[in-house]
Amino acid sequence: MRPYEKDPAAIYAQSFATVQAEARLERFSPDMAVLATRLIHACGMVEIADRLAFSPRAAEAGRAALSAGAPIFCDCEMVAAGIIRRRLPAENEVVVTLNDPDVPARAREIGNTRSAAAVEFWGERLGGAVVAVGNAPTALFHLLELLDAGAPPPAIILGFPVGFVGAAESKAELARDPRGAAFVALKGRRGGSAMAAAAVNALAAGLGTDA
Amino acid sequence: MRPYEKDPAAIYAQSFATVQAEARLERFSPDMAVLATRLIHACGMVEIADRLAFSPRAAEAGRAALSAGAPIFCDCEMVAAGIIRRRLPAENEVVVTLNDPDVPARAREIGNTRSAAAVEFWGERLGGAVVAVGNAPTALFHLLELLDAGAPPPAIILGFPVGFVGAAESKAELARDPRGAAFVALKGRRGGSAMAAAAVNALAAGLGTDA
């Protein structure tokens, strides 16, 4: 077998150099370049840089929320599992309500998915929070519906639902009208929990060397 | 806001129909088509079907191992978080050793990453196991080195490390010589924990309706 790179710092440096060389990061503000770099690292696709949508000063809004101790609401356990806890600046709580025992009944009541129903259990703490959606388009759609109905807006919505039914549409709706929240989203079908978690990690500490 | 699909069964059916229409699944055996479909669902990219590498009867080997109660070794917590436990046919143990307290010292001893060192803690139980690598190229590389050194081969290696340094190379080496294991891998830079977990879920129960 051929030799391979085993040194974490060298792996990181080579990886970062590849992203720098290929992703045309100069189109972004410094903070968004950090966020884009982490997203690209998470999926191995430099071309997603062409498909990012975001509000002005989104990264700053996310950082400020985390520094102020905002909770992080995730639509699934995989997103929560990818958040590097030691990076969080204020021991921020990471919350997943998808497996709350009351969720299936609430899903039946509202005629929506469990992922959508789980968003209702974020409650008033949604105001000023960080929201990371890495799986379910219905979670993002229903979050926007709740905001339309008067729920307090989060500080930032990280929109990375994935797939063929509703993913592109829910992210387009978020970008069209983020309802008072800052946002970052990957347009189209692609997304996923690794990207959603990477976005949180980028906000939490910038681009460290333990990527 | 426009109406969106809220019924899980309808979402699943539409998603499945899209994959069927776009991914040319007829190139695969029925078992591999199921696995490819789940991988595509996990990432929203039908074109990954063009970049799958796999050994003959890989899915059958993986299914047999799970049915026989084989443990599932994952290179990171995100992969483990994505495995649908209720699908597993024999309450198979899902094992992540990355955060074992002895891993950092072992990484220093072998001059490799923590992800690589963690593989050594799988020990003799590796024989006949299901291995799912969704993050670290060095974990896959070091697994292959351990097999070269006489470690008992797993039943199947699901190779989905992601990124710019070693991901493509480690998967090419797996495909070149899987060292007595069956394997499925996504060639190139793309991969990730969602795909690795989806591969396990596909082996565990085929393509259910609760996707």
Side-chain angles (χ1 to χ4, degrees), chain A residues 4 22 78 112 145 189, chain B residues 4 22 78 112 145 189:
Chain A
Y4 62 95
E22 297 185 15
M78 280 192 84
N112 208 323
E145 289 176 326
R189 294 171 164 182
Chain B
Y4 61 95
E22 297 185 16
M78 281 192 84
N112 208 323
E145 288 177 326
R189 293 172 167 182

Side-chain angles (χ1 to χ4, degrees), chain A residues 41-97:
Chain A
H41 274 284
C43 67
M45 297 182 283
V46 292
E47 69 273 22
I48 65 159
D50 303 335
R51 303 278 286 160
L52 288 175
F54 48 92
S55 55
R57 303 186 60 81
E60 290 86 338
R63 282 187 210 286
L66 289 177
S67 295
I72 303 164
F73 293 106
C74 310
D75 71 326
C76 65
E77 292 290 347
M78 280 192 84
V79 174
I83 294 173
I84 304 171
R85 298 302 200 280
R86 68 175 185 280
R87 288 262 183 80
L88 298 176
E91 298 184 354
N92 307 255
E93 192 184 351
V94 178
V95 181
V96 183
T97 51

Side-chain angles (χ1 to χ4, degrees), chain A residues 1-8 10-12 14-15 18-19 22 40-47 77-79 81-83 86 110-114 116 137-138 140-142 144-145 148 162-165 173 176 179 189-195 197, chain B residues 1-8 10-12 14-15 18-19 22 40-47 77-79 81-83 86 110-114 116 137-138 140-142 144-145 148 162-165 173 176 179 189-195 197:
Chain A
M1 204 164 87
R2 291 187 194 174
Y4 62 95
E5 185 58 67
K6 300 175 179 177
D7 174 50
I11 292 169
Y12 178 78
Q14 288 179 38
S15 183
T18 301
V19 176
E22 297 185 15
I40 291 168
H41 274 284
C43 67
M45 297 182 283
V46 292
E47 69 273 22
E77 292 290 347
M78 280 192 84
V79 174
I83 294 173
R86 68 175 185 280
I110 64 173
N112 208 323
T113 65
R114 290 193 302 117
T138 53
L140 180 52
F141 271 130
H142 195 50
L144 297 176
E145 289 176 326
D148 283 341
V162 60
F164 304 100
V165 181
E173 178 62 26
R176 188 189 69 75
R179 277 90 171 162
R189 294 171 164 182
R190 289 180 291 186
S193 40
M195 278 188 244
Chain B
M1 202 165 87
R2 292 187 192 174
Y4 61 95
E5 187 56 66
K6 299 176 180 178
D7 175 51
I11 291 168
Y12 179 78
Q14 288 179 37
S15 182
T18 301
V19 176
E22 297 185 16
I40 291 166
H41 275 283
C43 66
M45 297 181 283
V46 292
E47 69 273 20
E77 292 290 347
M78 281 192 84
V79 174
I83 294 173
R86 68 177 186 278
I110 65 173
N112 208 323
T113 65
R114 290 193 303 117
T138 52
L140 180 52
F141 270 130
H142 195 50
L144 298 176
E145 288 177 326
D148 284 340
V162 62
F164 304 99
V165 181
E173 178 63 25
R176 190 189 68 75
R179 277 89 170 165
R189 293 172 167 182
R190 288 181 292 186
S193 40
M195 280 188 240

Side-chain angles (χ1 to χ4, degrees), chain A residues 199-210:
Chain A
V200 174
N201 293 333
L203 293 178
L207 206 60
T209 54
D210 54 349

Side-chain angles (χ1 to χ4, degrees), chain B:
Chain B
M1 202 165 87
R2 292 187 192 174
Y4 61 95
E5 187 56 66
K6 299 176 180 178
D7 175 51
I11 291 168
Y12 179 78
Q14 288 179 37
S15 182
F16 186 68
T18 301
V19 176
Q20 286 275 330
E22 297 185 16
R24 298 191 297 108
L25 296 171
E26 63 279 6
R27 72 183 105 173
F28 299 120
S29 72
D31 267 341
M32 267 306 299
V34 166
L35 212 155
T37 299
R38 277 211 169 269
L39 292 171
I40 291 166
H41 275 283
C43 66
M45 297 181 283
V46 292
E47 69 273 20
I48 64 158
D50 302 335
R51 303 277 288 161
L52 289 175
F54 47 92
S55 54
R57 302 184 62 75
E60 290 88 334
R63 282 188 209 287
L66 289 177
S67 296
I72 302 163
F73 292 106
C74 310
D75 71 326
C76 65
E77 292 290 347
M78 281 192 84
V79 174
I83 294 173
I84 304 171
R85 299 300 201 281
R86 68 177 186 278
R87 289 261 184 81
L88 298 175
E91 299 185 354
N92 308 253
E93 191 183 353
V94 178
V95 181
V96 183
T97 52
L98 181 59
N99 297 310
D100 185 294
D102 296 330
V103 161
R106 187 67 190 141
R108 285 189 295 273
E109 283 167 20
I110 65 173
N112 208 323
T113 65
R114 290 193 303 117
S115 294
V119 173
E120 300 202 354
F121 291 75
W122 299 349
E124 290 301 311
R125 294 181 72 202
L126 187 58
V130 172
V131 172
V133 178
N135 181 43
T138 52
L140 180 52
F141 270 130
H142 195 50
L143 171 63
L144 298 176
E145 288 177 326
L146 293 174
L147 295 177
D148 284 340
I156 187 166
I157 300 170
L158 303 165
F160 297 91
V162 62
F164 304 99
V165 181
E169 296 83 351
S170 62
K171 292 179 282 191
E173 178 63 25
L174 170 65
R176 190 189 68 75
D177 178 2
R179 277 89 170 165
F183 80 98
V184 180
L186 179 62
K187 291 184 277 190
R189 293 172 167 182
R190 288 181 292 186
S193 40
M195 280 188 240
V200 173
N201 293 335
L203 293 177
L207 205 60
T209 54
D210 54 348

